[in-house]
């Protein structure tokens, strides 16, 4: 797993977060805006501090080389983002990653964005790297455990926004555990202590990994969430397929893409059923560009002119996100863009931006859903959600709340993981991650769903043992009742 200033990485662990006891996903920043007009003498070369994110960016060689530094009040380590570009105007690239753009917005301000996510990061020019930063510094397995602890604790203290909401006193954690750390603390004991410190957060976007130790992995999750293993997930997949068939799926209309991670079926009454279980890892190339091409192809073949307008158009659509573990928010918005005929604000996004005050954030940036340039479906929509709807699966759900007509959410609360994962490296080489952002409601510019998740309009059981053993799918049944006009009248 690579640590960088953004939380979304394509390591082998990424695709399985809570859904297979591996790392949860979510993602970082979207397609860059065009470079604003700046003086011909303006240059990206120099040192830039990012608003929020605890990151310093150094650009050199005529704007062709970029690298990041992970900073706190007590530490600085070179980040693993070391991107380059062939000229002074194109995107920066690093193997296996989406393109990165930096656009000047004046001589002392710039905007940084990643191709596979939404929003921008503001950069402000600074005179030099912090005094404790050095490109020659590298993590060492022999790093003093006390230094490792201090970097870990400080990173959370400066970036984590949800201590109060999750009823955790982080200062008390330091007072309790720091005296137990000495220069001779073993790696096993240190790993156990660092894991125990974040366990009470019950936050699926927190975690720690020692890549040199097969047993060195910890990830948080909500207390009421049972993490399905490979066999249980296959059982759920089979149950969903069986319930769709039982609902009268027309074999000629059944399709799948990306090894079954995207599936579509047509049900009686011209109702479509679209199931998406992830927003990354669709293609063997494991790149954002390949994933986007696969998703676009699937959506093109699903939302045809015939299904979206005219006498044979769909009368309703069921979007099943109950087992969606997340991925790229940009890909998630690509789905929302096929479901609207007008632009609207999906949500607002901001990041914690004060080392001492967890209530202070960067200015909230509106994220817009723009209609796809082609056929779009604008009819009745139901969305199936559950506690295994996570990260980008949740940001899509949140984005759809502003759609007209508003979708009917059916099932359970989503998991409550919206922020990008801020990935970091410890002085001993271990990797860890945490959330540092809020995705704010576009409806009131205040509400967030972190921790609690987005509640459904209609509550049903989702993938319980009783449902699975009795071959029931209450959420799908209720969705079909709504779309066929047999459910309670709703506004």
């Amino acid at each position: 797993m690579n640590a960088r200033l953004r939380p979304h990485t394509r390591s082998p662990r990424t695709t399985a977060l809570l859904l297979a006891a591996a790392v949860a996903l979510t993602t970082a920043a979207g397609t860059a805006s065009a470079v604003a007009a700046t003086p011909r003498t303006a240059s990206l070369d120099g040192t830039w501090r990012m608003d929020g994110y605890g990151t310093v960016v150094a650009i050199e060689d005529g704007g062709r080389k970029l690298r990041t530094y992970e900073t706190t009040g007590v530490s600085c380590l070179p980040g693993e983002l070391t991107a380059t570009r062939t000229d002074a105007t194109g995107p920066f690239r690093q193997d296996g990653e989406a393109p990165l753009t930096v656009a000047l917005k004046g001589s002392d301000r710039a905007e940084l964005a990643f191709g596979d996510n939404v929003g921008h990061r503001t950069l402000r020019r600074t005179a030099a790297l912090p005094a404790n930063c050095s490109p020659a510094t590298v993590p060492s397995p022999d790093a003093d455990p006390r230094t490792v602890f201090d970097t870990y604790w400080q990173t959370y203290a400066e970036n984590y926004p949800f201590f109060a909401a999750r009823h955790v006193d982080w200062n008390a954690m330091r007072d309790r555990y720091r005296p137990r750390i000495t220069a001779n603390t073993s790696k096993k004991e240190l790993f156990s202590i660092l894991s125990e410190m974040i366990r009470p957060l019950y936050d699926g976007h927190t975690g720690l990994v020692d890549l040199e130790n097969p047993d060195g992995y910890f990830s948080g999750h909500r207390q009421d969430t049972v993490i399905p293993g490979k066999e249980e997930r296959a059982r759920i997949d089979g149950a969903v397929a069986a319930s769709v068939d039982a609902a009268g799926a027309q074999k000629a209309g059944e399709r799948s893409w990306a090894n079954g991670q995207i599936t579509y079926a047509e049900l009686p009454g011209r109702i479509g059923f679209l199931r998406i279980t992830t927003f990354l890892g669709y293609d063997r190339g494991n790149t954002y560009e390949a994933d986007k091409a696969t998703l676009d192809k699937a959506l093109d073949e699903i939302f045809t002119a015939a299904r979206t307008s005219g006498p044979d158009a769909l009368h309703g659509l069921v979007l099943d996100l109950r087992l969606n573990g997340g991925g790229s928010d940009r890909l998630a918005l690509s789905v929302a863009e096929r479901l609207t005929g007008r632009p609207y604000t999906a949500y607002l996004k901001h990041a914690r931006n004060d080392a001492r005050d967890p209530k202070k954030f960067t200015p909230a940036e509106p994220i817009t859903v723009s209609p796809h340039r082609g056929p779009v479906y604008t009819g009745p929509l139901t969305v199936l959600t559950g506690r295994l709807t996570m990260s980008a699966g949740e940001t899509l759900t949140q984005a759809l709340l502003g759609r007209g007509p508003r979708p009917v959410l059916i099932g359970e609360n989503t998991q409550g993981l919206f922020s990008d994962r801020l990935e970091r490296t410890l002085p001993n080489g271990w990797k860890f991650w945490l959330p540092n952002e809020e995705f704010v409601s576009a409806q009131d510019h205040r509400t967030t769903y972190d921790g609690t998740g987005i509640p459904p309009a209609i509550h049903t059981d989702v993938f319980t043992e009783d449902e699975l053993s009795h071959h029931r799918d209450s959420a799908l049944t209720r969705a079909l009742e709504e779309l066929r006009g047999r459910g309670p009248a709703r506004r």
Side-chain angles (χ1 to χ4, degrees):
M1 177 186 302
N2 292 331
R4 63 209 64 197
L5 65 155
R6 63 193 188 96
H8 178 66
T9 174
R10 297 180 183 279
S11 70
R13 289 184 182 263
T14 307
T15 57
L17 170 60
L18 296 178
L19 298 183
V23 183
L25 305 177
T26 95
T27 59
T31 303
S33 59
V35 177
T38 55
R40 288 182 179 273
T41 56
S43 171
L44 282 175
D45 276 15
T47 306
W48 304 81
R49 179 169 288 280
M50 188 178 294
D51 286 356
Y53 302 93
T55 297
V56 172
V57 179
I59 301 176
E60 60 183 6
D61 194 21
R64 290 174 172 81
K65 295 181 180 179
L66 178 151
R67 77 171 307 167
T68 59
Y69 294 82
E70 302 166 5
T71 67
T72 72
V74 300
S75 64
C76 179
L77 284 170
E80 293 189 10
L81 181 58
T82 55
T84 61
R85 59 183 179 179
T86 56
D87 57 54
T89 60
F92 292 91
R93 295 184 180 275
Q94 181 170 320
D95 287 348
E97 299 301 322
L100 159 69
T101 59
V102 181
L104 278 168
K105 297 296 180 179
S107 60
D108 296 321
R109 189 174 73 88
E111 287 184 345
L112 180 149
F114 291 92
D116 60 350
N117 210 286
V118 296
H120 301 85
R121 313 285 171 87
T122 296
L123 303 180
R124 301 187 187 278
R125 195 183 293 275
T126 186
L129 288 174
N132 60 345
C133 289
S134 170
T137 302
V138 294
S140 168
D142 300 322
D144 190 317
R146 294 167 296 188
T147 302
V148 174
F149 180 97
D150 292 342
T151 300
Y152 184 80
W153 184 89
Q154 192 73 27
T155 303
Y156 270 87
E158 294 183 8
N159 294 284
Y160 191 76
F162 308 123
F163 289 122
R166 295 180 181 271
H167 309 292
V168 171
D169 184 337
W170 195 239
N171 290 324
M173 286 290 183
R174 177 192 56 200
D175 296 343
R176 175 182 178 183
Y177 289 107
R178 182 61 169 80
R180 293 170 52 180
I181 308 297
T182 71
N184 297 317
T185 298
S186 69
K187 291 183 178 180
K188 182 178 180 179
E189 183 180 3
L190 180 62
F191 193 95
S192 176
I193 288 173
L194 300 187
S195 300
E196 286 304 309
M197 289 172 66
I198 60 174
R199 188 184 301 276
L201 297 172
Y202 301 112
D203 187 330
H205 273 177
T206 63
L208 173 69
V209 64
D210 173 6
L211 294 175
E212 302 302 319
N213 180 1
D215 298 321
Y217 178 81
F218 174 82
S219 179
H221 61 84
R222 210 168 70 188
Q223 287 174 286
D224 66 354
T225 301
V226 177
I227 311 304
K230 184 177 180 180
E231 291 184 2
E232 183 64 12
R233 180 163 184 172
R235 185 185 180 203
I236 292 171
D237 289 341
V240 173
S243 65
V244 172
D245 286 342
Q250 302 169 23
K251 294 299 182 182
E254 291 187 11
R255 294 289 308 278
S256 70
W257 300 261
N259 296 313
Q261 294 175 108
I262 305 169
T263 58
Y264 177 79
E266 291 190 358
L267 304 178
R270 292 206 292 275
I271 292 176
F273 177 85
L274 172 59
R275 183 174 189 244
I276 305 175
T277 60
T278 187
F279 285 113
L280 89 170
Y282 296 147
D283 186 87
R284 290 183 179 179
N286 206 28
T287 65
Y288 167 72
E289 290 91 341
D291 285 347
K292 179 169 173 50
T294 298
L295 179 61
D296 286 346
K297 181 178 186 296
L299 296 176
D300 285 345
E301 295 179 8
I302 293 167
F303 296 108
T304 61
R307 289 198 182 105
T308 56
S309 62
D312 296 324
L314 295 176
H315 287 180
L317 178 68
V318 180
L319 175 61
D320 187 354
L321 301 176
R322 288 175 294 177
L323 198 63
N324 190 300
S328 164
D329 288 334
R330 179 59 260 169
L331 293 182
L333 280 188
S334 294
V335 177
E337 290 166 357
R338 305 289 182 130
L339 299 173
T340 183
R342 61 172 181 84
Y344 66 91
T345 301
Y347 42 74
L348 293 83
K349 182 178 177 180
H350 62 192
R352 185 175 163 188
N353 197 30
D354 189 301
R356 292 166 294 185
D357 189 349
K359 296 180 181 179
K360 292 185 178 180
F361 291 82
T362 57
E365 179 178 7
I367 305 300
T368 300
V369 177
S370 298
H372 171 68
R373 294 181 179 178
V376 294
Y377 173 76
T378 59
L381 173 68
T382 58
V383 182
L384 309 187
T385 65
R387 66 195 71 188
L388 300 179
T389 307
M390 304 174 185
S391 196
E394 295 183 88
T395 64
L396 171 57
T397 303
Q398 185 173 11
L400 292 172
L401 296 180
R403 177 188 187 264
R406 185 183 176 98
V408 179
L409 271 55
I410 300 174
E412 300 172 333
N413 284 43
T414 63
Q415 178 69 197
L417 307 175
F418 292 83
S419 172
D420 296 342
R421 287 191 310 138
L422 183 68
E423 293 191 348
R424 286 295 184 258
T425 302
L426 288 169
N428 64 355
W430 293 351
K431 311 295 183 182
F432 70 109
W433 51 94
L434 64 154
N436 69 317
E437 301 168 330
E438 288 183 333
F439 282 52
V440 182
S441 167
Q443 285 68 52
D444 62 16
H445 292 205
R446 181 178 65 253
T447 300
T448 65
Y449 299 101
D450 287 281
T452 60
I454 301 173
I458 300 173
H459 287 264
T460 71
D461 289 339
V462 174
F463 303 144
T464 63
E465 180 58 36
D466 186 59
E467 288 267 301
L468 295 173
S469 61
H470 289 88
H471 308 290
R472 288 198 302 263
D473 192 334
S474 297
L476 177 57
T477 298
R478 288 302 305 272
L480 296 178
E481 289 174 351
E482 287 291 313
L483 294 173
R484 290 169 179 163
R486 294 198 295 268
R490 314 190 65 81
R491 292 185 178 181

